[in-house]
Each structure stands twice: as structure tokens, then as C-alpha cells.
Amino acid sequence: MNNDDPAIPEKLSQATALLAAIARDGSFSKAAERLGVHQSAVSHRVRGLEEALGMPLFERTTRKLALTDAGEILCTAATRAMAEWQAATDQLRRNRDSDGIRLSLPSSLAMKWLLPALPRAVDAGLDIAIDVADGLVDFTRRQADAAIRFGRGPYPGLHATRLAACHLQPVAAAGYDPGGRDIPGLIAAQAVAFLGDRRGEADETGFSWQAWLKGTGAGLPDFRPGQTFDRADLMLQAAIAGAGIGLGRTLLIEADIRAGFLRPLDRAVPMRSACWLVSSPAFAATERHARLLRWLKQEVRRTTDAGKPG
């Protein structure tokens, strides 16, 4: 076999379906019938491939067709390749025919905001499958159709639409009495524990007590929360349980405030980070994306309008 012959990869590519059919049916004639060609065309293609490779692929007898070692290797590879192509075309067909949307979003947004809203998605005719993931989504590997992400953006190479501007606001259990003191006063008095999101305190999203204090002009550059949590929803649950004052964020606290579990303390501070709907440009061009975006914007308005006084 001439490994430098540029025609060999092309011939192998062209013969993939043929080799897979022969391996499946164990017969040139049955493979020809399956592919809708004459048996002589199958025999001619196989001979040409064997000549290019310089080795036989099949042992031909009057009673059966057997694979040589080389034939076993190539037919196994061809069978796998055809199976992958079938899976890919099935996925394309499902994407075309299905209204289902696989949506990825961080655990805190899922628990505090989106999961309770899913019955309304069904009423709106949307079939949304939730994929909770705090890391980034690889759309090229079809890990999700779209994702909701909290950050500053933009997201190079992806289509991104801002869903909600975000604010920071301290919150505590509904029964907590600050005694007339604002947050800097509570910090100075060391009268209560402060709770934070561990990731937000360290990353560049601005979901931190330092960002809130800077936004109010209070300063206190050395302040850090006494207890941090891996997830913002856990931190807010701890605040509801009376463990201390938590740092709230748009879409994470409105429902608990409305339900009487939390009360806002001090003022809200705008953030540079926002909530975004992110997807591949291809999915962004679909009607499913348009329907999802419309519904999510409606849910954002429902949440933020309900949190406004009066």
C-alpha cells in the first residue's frame, strides 16, 4: 500500500457506506440490493479499493464471504462511521421536528427563579428541559440549545441578548430588626453575621459586598463577609433561616420578599453585570429561540415589576 497516495482516503470515504453494508449483510449481492446498485458495481468498487490498499479485504469462497484482518478493521470503522452519521441525522431531524428546548442555567437562578415559572412555560406552549450547570456550555457539542448566564458580557462568537439589568441589595429574614442601623452601622457594631457568595466575592461579576459598599459610597475596603457559600441560593436560604444578612441580587430575591421570607435592608445598587440569554448564532435564528426569548422577557418583567413598591 502506498501511504502517500492521496486517492486512498478519498476512496475509503466513498466506500464507507458500501463497507458497512457488506459487513452488515455478509454478501455483495445483499449489500448491492440495500444500496440500490448492481452487484457488479459493488464488486468493481471493492476490487478498486483492494488494489489501492494493496491487500485483500474479503476471502471469497463459493459458500460465504469472510473478512480478512484488514477487512475487519475497515468494516468495523465504516460501521461506526455510519452509526455516527445516523445519530447526527437523527439529531437534526429531532431539532427540526421538535419544539423542545434544552436550557442551561446556574443553580441559583434555576432554584430561585426559573423552576417555579415552568408551569407558565407549559401554558405558553414551550417545552423546556432544564440543565443546571454553573460552568460554561459548549454549544458545538450540543450540550444545550441556549443558556442563561450572569456576567458582564459580551460573549465572543455567540449570540447574546440581555434579559435583565441587575441590582445588589442586602436582605435578611423577615423578622430581623436592624435597630435603625444601616449596613455600615451594623458592620461597625459587629452586631450580625454577613453572608456572601464565594464565587461572586472572587470573580469579576461584581456580586460581592465590596461592590455593594463601593456603590453606596460607604467604602470599607477591607470588609469581607464572615461566611460564604458555594451557591447564592444556599446563602439566601441561610439568610431566611436567620443566620445573618445575605447579599441579594435581581431575580434571586423578589419571590422570597413577596412571600414574606426575606426583607430588603438598605438600598439597591446597580451592577455592571446582567442576566443574558446566550446561544449559538444558528439557534438564535430559529423560531424556538424567538419564542423562548419572548417568554423569558415576560418572566423577567413579571418578577421585577412584582418587586417594585406600590
Side-chain angles (χ1 to χ4, degrees):
M1 179 177 69
N2 181 4
N3 292 325
D4 296 327
D5 186 351
I8 291 178
E10 182 179 355
K11 288 183 177 180
L12 287 172
S13 176
Q14 294 172 348
T16 298
L18 173 63
L19 293 174
I22 295 172
R24 176 174 178 173
D25 297 317
S27 163
F28 283 6
S29 59
K30 291 181 179 179
E33 182 179 349
R34 178 181 296 278
L35 298 174
V37 298
H38 196 275
Q39 180 177 344
S40 62
V42 172
S43 299
H44 178 75
R45 178 73 63 82
V46 170
R47 281 197 303 271
L49 186 59
E50 289 177 325
E51 290 174 1
L53 293 169
M55 60 185 70
L57 300 178
F58 304 96
E59 295 177 354
R60 302 163 178 82
T61 67
T62 56
R63 301 188 62 180
K64 67 176 183 177
L65 184 70
L67 296 172
T68 64
D69 289 344
E72 181 73 31
I73 292 171
L74 288 186
C75 285
T76 297
T79 300
R80 289 175 179 170
M82 292 305 296
E84 290 185 5
W85 274 110
Q86 185 63 50
T89 55
D90 289 345
Q91 180 67 46
L92 289 176
R93 190 176 301 109
R94 286 193 296 271
N95 289 348
R96 181 195 64 194
D97 299 337
S98 173
D99 287 334
I101 299 172
R102 187 176 178 186
L103 179 64
S104 172
L105 73 164
S107 54
S108 297
L109 271 175
M111 295 299 294
K112 288 294 186 181
W113 180 59
L114 196 64
L115 288 180
L118 285 183
R120 291 191 292 272
V122 175
D123 293 340
L126 288 170
D127 179 12
I128 300 176
I130 296 297
D131 181 15
V132 175
D134 291 309
L136 298 178
V137 172
D138 185 351
F139 294 110
T140 63
R141 298 176 60 185
R142 300 189 300 276
Q143 292 179 339
D145 295 309
I148 299 177
R149 285 293 175 259
F150 169 70
R152 295 185 178 182
Y155 299 89
L158 299 175
H159 185 278
T161 304
R162 194 173 77 164
L163 293 175
C166 291
H167 291 74
L168 293 173
Q169 188 164 32
V171 290
Y176 175 71
D177 181 7
R181 292 170 292 191
D182 59 11
I183 294 298
L186 290 169
I187 292 174
Q190 299 182 349
V192 65
F194 284 83
L195 315 176
D197 176 84
R198 186 170 296 126
R199 179 176 297 186
E201 292 289 334
D203 63 20
E204 297 181 354
T205 60
F207 184 33
S208 68
W209 279 103
Q210 284 295 309
W212 183 84
L213 290 164
K214 182 178 180 180
T216 63
L220 301 175
D222 296 329
F223 175 74
R224 295 290 185 274
Q227 186 174 4
T228 57
F229 297 79
D230 288 332
R231 290 168 29 184
D233 57 323
L234 297 179
M235 178 262 292
L236 293 171
Q237 286 302 121
I240 290 172
I245 297 176
L247 186 62
R249 193 183 83 207
T250 301
L251 300 185
L252 299 186
I253 57 174
E254 290 86 353
D256 286 331
I257 292 173
R258 189 165 60 250
F261 298 134
L262 288 173
R263 59 167 296 188
L265 300 177
D266 220 305
R267 59 179 168 142
V269 170
M271 306 180 67
R272 289 182 59 188
S273 292
C275 285
W276 304 79
L277 179 63
V278 183
S279 73
S280 67
F283 183 72
T286 66
E287 177 59 25
R288 286 188 297 156
H289 179 276
R291 292 171 57 204
L292 174 65
L293 180 59
R294 284 195 298 269
W295 180 74
L296 288 172
K297 286 186 173 181
Q298 289 174 0
E299 287 302 314
V300 168
R301 287 194 296 270
R302 177 194 293 268
T303 300
T304 55
D305 288 349
K308 293 177 181 177

